[in-house]
Amino acid sequence: MALKKRQKKLIIGLGCLLAVVIAGSVAATILLNREDSNGSKTGWSDVKKDDTLPQLESENFTFAENTLIKIPDAESLSTFTVNREVNSRDDIEQKLPEIAQIIFGDMLSDTQPVIQELTSGGFEGVLKKADGSEHYNVRFYTDNQFIAYKSSTVANTTGAIADISRLENGEALSDKAYKTGSGQYTMQQALDLCEGMIDKLSPYLDDLEYKPSRVVVFEREDGQGYAFRVEFSAYKDGIPFHDSSVTGKLLEADGNISLSSHCVYMLITEPDVVGAVNKCSSATLTDEKKIENGLITLSDATELLADYYAPLYKHTIDEVSVEYVITNKLKKLTLDDGVVEGIEVTVIDSSTVEPYWCFKLEDTPEFNYDVAYCREEQKLFVNMLTGDIYTYHNS
């Protein structure tokens, strides 16, 4: 039974690690939408001044006692479009071995890349190799997403959380050393190793700044010590991108919108070795347009949420932030792959980046990490330009 449980965990881990946003994929999270009155609008300088929590009368929609408000000290906000056609087939064939070399050294140097055309558009490049019981896999996509992992790493990074430091909230790293593989490892050592890897991979990342956001320590379920997960969030001009590693699908009349995640995370199960890297989503930005006016304030965004959710659900908010969110417009295509006719797939038609008020729901770290390889955050989103409301709802 223990073996079967371990195999099940490996399958779960690999499934989440391979959860790249490819058209037609099924998300584990569903987005709901509410369009309402937009409230009053103003400029960014006035929005920054409105940095206190509104007084709420509802018992169903409240703020936690120590709710954080994170409004970036940026000069302005902008909108962008996203260029997803970054790499050609030739680019992938060239860059894939380079990424593999950075992460795994010479382990895959004698392996030839396999380039596949995706039915939903674009290309996927794959390098993989078995070395005894250890399996290596590196994948790189047209839109600049990539995944690299060792099978032993992803098999041993699910389990109860032992420690967590939220660096984006100014939390300090613990100096406790944890048994990791054949040695002892600290959160600082794990962070240093992964920051070095981010530097090496910078030519293959989007033109964004990546900052460490969390360091998480797991107690391995096989009883063989601990594993580390180090997460990085993307920033543009000091403003973070929505960094949950879950992508949801919007339920609306035409069902043609989704919100996309954006982060990089790495996994460590042995000292000084990064065993897995996942660049979750692409955001190569173009067509920047500065927002001069027309932004919804925190007070109005909160009122929109409270008016809608208070009669229906009970929510406690423990963090409010301003973040950029990638909005994908989707379309359905009917394809013939040469074997099966009439295959229906959903593809990304276009993507934009806009600023959102993000309201994080109060929960425990264990809810997000325990027996869940992919991190999930319960957030409510209010578009700062339109007032549209989106929420993750775990089904």
Side-chain angles (χ1 to χ4, degrees), residues 245-298:
S245 56
V246 175
T247 298
K249 185 178 181 182
L250 178 67
L251 293 179
E252 62 172 14
D254 53 5
N256 69 342
I257 299 291
S258 72
L259 300 186
S260 181
S261 61
H262 198 87
C263 69
V264 171
Y265 65 83
M266 304 184 192
L267 303 171
I268 298 171
T269 56
E270 54 189 305
D272 302 326
V273 177
V274 175
V277 180
N278 187 358
K279 180 178 182 293
C280 298
S281 154
S282 173
T284 303
L285 308 183
T286 61
D287 302 327
E288 178 179 7
K289 295 181 181 179
K290 298 288 185 181
I291 301 173
E292 301 296 336
N293 212 328
L295 293 168
I296 294 173
T297 65
L298 174 56

Side-chain angles (χ1 to χ4, degrees), residues 161-308:
I161 186 172
D163 203 351
I164 180 172
S165 177
R166 300 172 183 81
L167 300 177
E168 79 271 46
N169 292 344
E171 295 181 3
L173 293 172
S174 167
D175 59 2
K176 180 179 179 180
Y178 292 89
K179 183 181 182 300
T180 305
S182 59
Q184 300 285 321
Y185 224 55
T186 65
M187 298 177 85
Q188 185 64 61
Q189 288 175 301
L191 177 60
D192 291 343
L193 179 65
C194 293
E195 285 187 313
M197 182 63 73
I198 280 284
D199 290 341
K200 294 175 184 177
L201 291 171
S202 59
Y204 309 95
L205 301 174
D206 304 319
D207 188 21
L208 298 168
E209 181 182 7
Y210 283 84
K211 298 180 183 180
S213 54
R214 290 174 179 82
V215 181
V216 186
V217 185
F218 292 93
E219 186 174 2
R220 288 171 48 165
E221 289 192 339
D222 60 4
Q224 300 301 309
Y226 296 84
F228 292 81
R229 172 179 170 126
V230 180
E231 303 174 358
F232 294 81
S233 295
Y235 287 75
K236 177 65 176 178
D237 300 328
I239 300 172
F241 275 73
H242 165 49
D243 63 352
S244 172
S245 56
V246 175
T247 298
K249 185 178 181 182
L250 178 67
L251 293 179
E252 62 172 14
D254 53 5
N256 69 342
I257 299 291
S258 72
L259 300 186
S260 181
S261 61
H262 198 87
C263 69
V264 171
Y265 65 83
M266 304 184 192
L267 303 171
I268 298 171
T269 56
E270 54 189 305
D272 302 326
V273 177
V274 175
V277 180
N278 187 358
K279 180 178 182 293
C280 298
S281 154
S282 173
T284 303
L285 308 183
T286 61
D287 302 327
E288 178 179 7
K289 295 181 181 179
K290 298 288 185 181
I291 301 173
E292 301 296 336
N293 212 328
L295 293 168
I296 294 173
T297 65
L298 174 56
S299 297
D300 287 324
T302 303
E303 184 177 349
L304 288 173
L305 287 176
D307 286 348
Y308 179 56

Side-chain angles (χ1 to χ4, degrees), residues 50-120:
D50 183 16
D51 60 354
T52 57
L53 293 175
Q55 296 296 316
L56 297 175
E57 298 180 359
S58 171
E59 294 182 357
N60 271 1
F61 194 90
T62 59
F63 291 104
E65 184 176 349
N66 297 312
T67 299
L68 292 175
I69 303 179
K70 294 158 55 173
I71 300 180
D73 186 23
E75 293 185 1
S76 62
L77 299 180
S78 300
T79 63
F80 306 86
T81 58
V82 179
N83 177 19
R84 295 194 176 275
E85 297 299 321
V86 177
N87 297 295
S88 65
R89 185 187 187 108
D90 291 340
D91 290 332
I92 294 175
E93 192 166 4
Q94 173 191 335
K95 295 177 181 179
L96 179 61
E98 296 172 356
I99 293 172
Q101 173 71 29
I102 291 172
I103 299 172
F104 294 129
D106 295 329
M107 181 53 63
L108 292 96
S109 60
D110 58 350
T111 306
Q112 291 300 312
V114 176
I115 313 298
Q116 303 171 345
E117 186 171 0
L118 302 173
T119 57
S120 54

